[in-house]
Amino acid sequence: MNKYYLNYLDELESEAIFILREAWAQFENPVILFSGGKDSILVTHLARKAFYPSKMPFALVHVDTGHNFPETIQFRDNLIESLGVHLIVGSVQKSIDRGRAVEEKGKHSTRNALQIVTLLDLIEENKIDCAIGGARRDEEKVRAKERFFSHRDDFGQWNPKNQRPELWNIFNGRHFEGEHFRVFPISNWTEMDVWNYIKRENIEIPSLYFSHQRKVIWRNNSWIPFSEHINLDASEEVVTKQIRFRTLGDITITGGIESEADTVTKIVDEISTIRFTERGNRADDKRSLTAMEDRKRQGYF
């Protein structure tokens, strides 16, 4: 009898689908946190496969900061239309207008951290008990601390010491009323795994990931996209560069890299030679050595 072997992408896919089905089985109102980036697109694709031929059972949740790339919003809307699933949008601008969040001032102001208030309000208002995210352990050192099922207290905050006991791959989603879980089906994937899988499955992604001409400024050792939300000082000059983005966040914090990679195959080749981290051009992670951990403890993605 011939043995059946899975290649490494099949194993990662199988693990992620198992976790997604566990989340659906253990929680009453699980949703997928959707940023429009490649990782949340990948999780959505896996969720479709996990429940095929039925329709994906999860609603998508997007926190709209008002400082998004226009291409991201267009991609989100097109995907929702093709999937026919429910979209829940939280607005950072409404949180500011209601006095729930305070806009930052100055040259380096962003709305990135303000998403925490909007997200936690949205989770409470919609009685969400499981928020599925596309975070991966290789992205950032604090994300390596997260488990597949990661507990959040009734204030939406994360304490790694408050994790529920688990044996092997028997996930434990038990929680009290008001608490919720974050679930990360692609924790074991690397950036290269994601791109190889996107290539294999021919998954559509936003054009921002491909190299193209874009107006940018050089700030904090990164090429930051020029937009109406950027406050320039006298020393900064807007130039046009051949740019692509490795991660997608707010337009004010997402640094691009100079690149000629305009296809997925070229991106895979490029990543195999790059020796700096995927989030190395994210201004939000440069604020301090513990910037990501500080935000996550408060309830960030």
Side-chain angles (χ1 to χ4, degrees), residues 136-140 143-144 187 189-192 277-278:
R136 309 187 324 267
R137 293 192 177 111
D138 80 321
E139 284 183 274
E140 214 275 347
R143 284 189 165 165
S187 283
W189 297 52
T190 66
E191 182 186 14
M192 181 63 88
T277 65
E278 180 180 356

Side-chain angles (χ1 to χ4, degrees), residues 146-209:
E146 292 271 22
R147 295 166 70 168
F148 288 118
F149 276 39
S150 194
H151 174 265
R152 296 297 189 271
D153 65 20
D154 54 355
F155 297 102
Q157 297 179 337
W158 175 54
N159 183 349
K161 297 178 181 177
N162 200 25
Q163 182 63 34
R164 297 295 189 259
E166 292 176 335
L167 289 174
W168 301 290
N169 63 346
I170 302 173
F171 303 120
N172 187 345
R174 292 186 179 181
H175 60 284
F176 297 106
E177 185 175 357
E179 299 176 342
H180 72 276
F181 268 73
R182 304 288 173 89
V183 170
F184 305 106
I186 62 170
S187 283
N188 283 341
W189 297 52
T190 66
E191 182 186 14
M192 181 63 88
D193 296 333
V194 170
W195 281 111
N196 277 324
Y197 190 77
I198 287 172
K199 181 181 177 182
R200 187 183 87 168
E201 301 283 307
N202 194 25
I203 300 172
E204 186 179 359
I205 54 174
S207 59
L208 294 160
Y209 284 111

Side-chain angles (χ1 to χ4, degrees), residues 70-270:
E71 295 94 332
T72 303
I73 299 300
Q74 186 62 56
F75 184 91
R76 179 201 71 184
D77 293 343
N78 292 342
L79 182 65
I80 290 297
E81 184 176 352
S82 67
L83 293 176
V85 298
H86 182 47
L87 173 67
I88 302 170
V89 178
S91 169
V92 171
Q93 183 60 54
K94 288 183 179 178
S95 296
I96 295 171
D97 294 342
R98 290 163 54 195
R100 295 280 296 146
V102 179
E103 186 99 70
E104 293 183 357
K105 305 294 183 185
K107 173 181 173 181
H108 297 286
S109 62
T110 83
R111 288 185 170 184
N112 192 48
L114 306 189
Q115 296 179 85
I116 297 170
V117 173
T118 307
L119 174 62
L120 296 182
D121 284 351
L122 188 149
I123 287 173
E124 183 175 355
E125 290 164 6
N126 291 275
K127 299 187 183 305
I128 293 167
D129 58 356
C130 171
I132 301 167
R136 309 187 324 267
R137 293 192 177 111
D138 80 321
E139 284 183 274
E140 214 275 347
K141 56 184 182 296
V142 70
R143 284 189 165 165
K145 296 181 182 179
E146 292 271 22
R147 295 166 70 168
F148 288 118
F149 276 39
S150 194
H151 174 265
R152 296 297 189 271
D153 65 20
D154 54 355
F155 297 102
Q157 297 179 337
W158 175 54
N159 183 349
K161 297 178 181 177
N162 200 25
Q163 182 63 34
R164 297 295 189 259
E166 292 176 335
L167 289 174
W168 301 290
N169 63 346
I170 302 173
F171 303 120
N172 187 345
R174 292 186 179 181
H175 60 284
F176 297 106
E177 185 175 357
E179 299 176 342
H180 72 276
F181 268 73
R182 304 288 173 89
V183 170
F184 305 106
I186 62 170
S187 283
N188 283 341
W189 297 52
T190 66
E191 182 186 14
M192 181 63 88
D193 296 333
V194 170
W195 281 111
N196 277 324
Y197 190 77
I198 287 172
K199 181 181 177 182
R200 187 183 87 168
E201 301 283 307
N202 194 25
I203 300 172
E204 186 179 359
I205 54 174
S207 59
L208 294 160
Y209 284 111
F210 300 110
S211 175
H212 58 283
Q213 293 273 308
R214 179 173 285 274
K215 291 182 178 180
V216 291
I217 62 169
W218 183 248
R219 175 182 290 180
N220 203 12
N221 293 321
S222 296
W223 289 113
I224 302 295
F226 176 67
S227 72
E228 59 182 323
H229 307 299
I230 290 287
N231 299 315
L232 291 178
D233 64 26
S235 65
E236 293 175 322
E237 178 186 7
V238 179
V239 297
T240 301
K241 291 282 184 180
Q242 193 75 13
I243 291 289
R244 79 170 193 87
F245 301 95
R246 291 175 72 187
T247 67
L248 295 185
D250 258 15
I251 201 168
T252 58
I253 58 168
T254 304
I257 59 172
E258 292 187 73
S259 170
E260 298 295 328
D262 55 3
T263 66
V264 174
T265 298
K266 291 180 181 177
I267 290 173
V268 170
D269 292 342
E270 182 181 82

